[in-house]
Amino acid sequence: MTVKDKVVVITGASSGIGAATTQVLAQAGAKLVIGARRTERLAELAKPFGDQVHYQATDVTDQQQVKALVDLAINTFGHVDVLYNNAGLMPLSELSELKVNEWERMIDVNIKGVLYGIAAVLPHMIAQHSGQIITTDSVAGHIVHPGTAVYSGTKWAIQAIMDGLRQEQAANHIKTTMISPGAVNTELFSTISDPKRREAVESDEKNNGLSATDVANAVLYAIDQPANVAVNEVLMRPVTQQR
């Protein structure tokens, strides 16, 4: 497998897709540096893998913390092969509810956090003339529903950013990948502040959603390709999800 011994940095790794991807990639032989705000969860996740997995507290809304996470990978393993921008928020609400603070938080995490990851790792990948940048996007980056306008807007932005990055860095052999899942059984629903909407999303994700490991396996697939193959997007849904 081409994943073995690759150095992978993952943000938002303390739970859900990030935690599952850490486990899947570590089991496949990758070397990992993982970040999130909840370091106690990171420590628990890293412990079974010893020196194969390192971690550091990382808030992706702080550019210097994101840079420090990438620097930890460089200082520990000598280089970075893959960055997985996974941190994200989904506090769904209708625009008329005017939850501006939630809008701003989504922009800071879902868009600026991705840009900070790109800024931290891109100079290294350009210098080594190789690498892969992966970002968790969403089916919401393709389809809008009432209540998802701002969230979908952040995910549409990722589509533009990642495709622009793909075109700009093709000559440097830097791959770009968007992982775009539909409903997934994770803690993402917990950021929804309206109790009824939160309960409805939680119920749907728990009863019908993909598992975090399903998405982690898609990340593994995207990484585990020959050097000349770039999987630019994986769009995936539970089989029962219509939109």
Side-chain angles (χ1 to χ4, degrees), residues 48-61:
F49 300 105
D51 290 340
Q52 187 183 351
V53 179
H54 295 250
Y55 67 90
Q56 186 162 285
T58 307
D59 181 343
V60 298
T61 67

Side-chain angles (χ1 to χ4, degrees), residues 64-84:
Q64 292 308 310
Q65 289 189 35
V66 178
K67 182 179 184 299
L69 186 69
V70 171
D71 288 346
L72 175 61
I74 298 291
N75 294 334
T76 303
F77 296 116
H79 67 284
V80 175
D81 295 299
V82 181
L83 168 67
Y84 183 18

Side-chain angles (χ1 to χ4, degrees), residues 11-239:
T11 64
S14 61
S15 65
I17 294 169
T21 303
T22 298
Q23 293 173 320
V24 166
L25 295 184
Q27 290 163 3
K31 300 173 182 177
L32 294 122
V33 173
I34 58 176
R37 292 177 298 165
R38 296 175 290 187
T39 53
E40 70 283 354
R41 290 196 177 189
L42 296 177
E44 183 180 352
L45 184 61
K47 187 176 180 181
F49 300 105
D51 290 340
Q52 187 183 351
V53 179
H54 295 250
Y55 67 90
Q56 186 162 285
T58 307
D59 181 343
V60 298
T61 67
D62 185 324
Q63 183 181 2
Q64 292 308 310
Q65 289 189 35
V66 178
K67 182 179 184 299
L69 186 69
V70 171
D71 288 346
L72 175 61
I74 298 291
N75 294 334
T76 303
F77 296 116
H79 67 284
V80 175
D81 295 299
V82 181
L83 168 67
Y84 183 18
N85 284 310
N86 172 66
L89 295 175
M90 191 185 70
L92 303 180
S93 65
E94 294 196 1
L95 292 168
S96 60
E97 296 174 60
L98 302 180
K99 296 188 177 183
V100 178
N101 289 339
E102 293 182 0
W103 303 348
E104 291 177 341
R105 182 68 176 164
M106 274 192 283
I107 290 168
D108 287 344
V109 174
N110 296 0
I111 301 177
K112 292 168 69 176
V114 169
L115 289 170
Y116 292 159
I118 292 170
V121 80
L122 192 56
H124 300 288
M125 291 185 174
I126 290 173
Q128 69 193 22
H129 211 59
S130 68
Q132 183 172 10
I133 297 175
I134 305 173
T135 296
T136 300
D137 198 66
S138 174
V139 168
H142 298 260
I143 298 172
V144 182
H145 301 287
T148 72
V150 179
Y151 178 67
S152 290
T154 65
K155 295 304 183 179
W156 242 285
I158 294 308
Q159 296 272 345
I161 290 166
M162 291 295 288
D163 197 53
L165 179 65
R166 177 189 66 81
Q167 294 178 57
E168 291 174 6
Q169 294 304 323
N172 286 318
H173 300 274
I174 297 172
K175 302 180 182 184
T176 67
T177 305
M178 291 174 286
I179 304 293
S180 298
V184 185
N185 184 12
T186 68
E187 298 176 8
L188 200 57
F189 69 86
S190 66
T191 62
I192 301 172
S193 55
D194 178 78
K196 289 184 178 180
R197 183 177 285 116
R198 182 173 63 247
E199 183 179 350
V201 173
E202 178 183 7
S203 176
D204 180 56
E205 291 182 348
K206 287 186 173 180
N207 292 324
N208 305 305
L210 302 167
S211 72
T213 302
D214 293 331
V215 183
N217 286 333
V219 177
L220 174 65
Y221 168 78
I223 297 172
D224 191 30
Q225 297 296 321
N228 66 314
V229 176
V231 177
N232 299 129
E233 182 168 17
V234 177
L235 181 60
M236 56 192 301
R237 295 175 173 87
V239 69

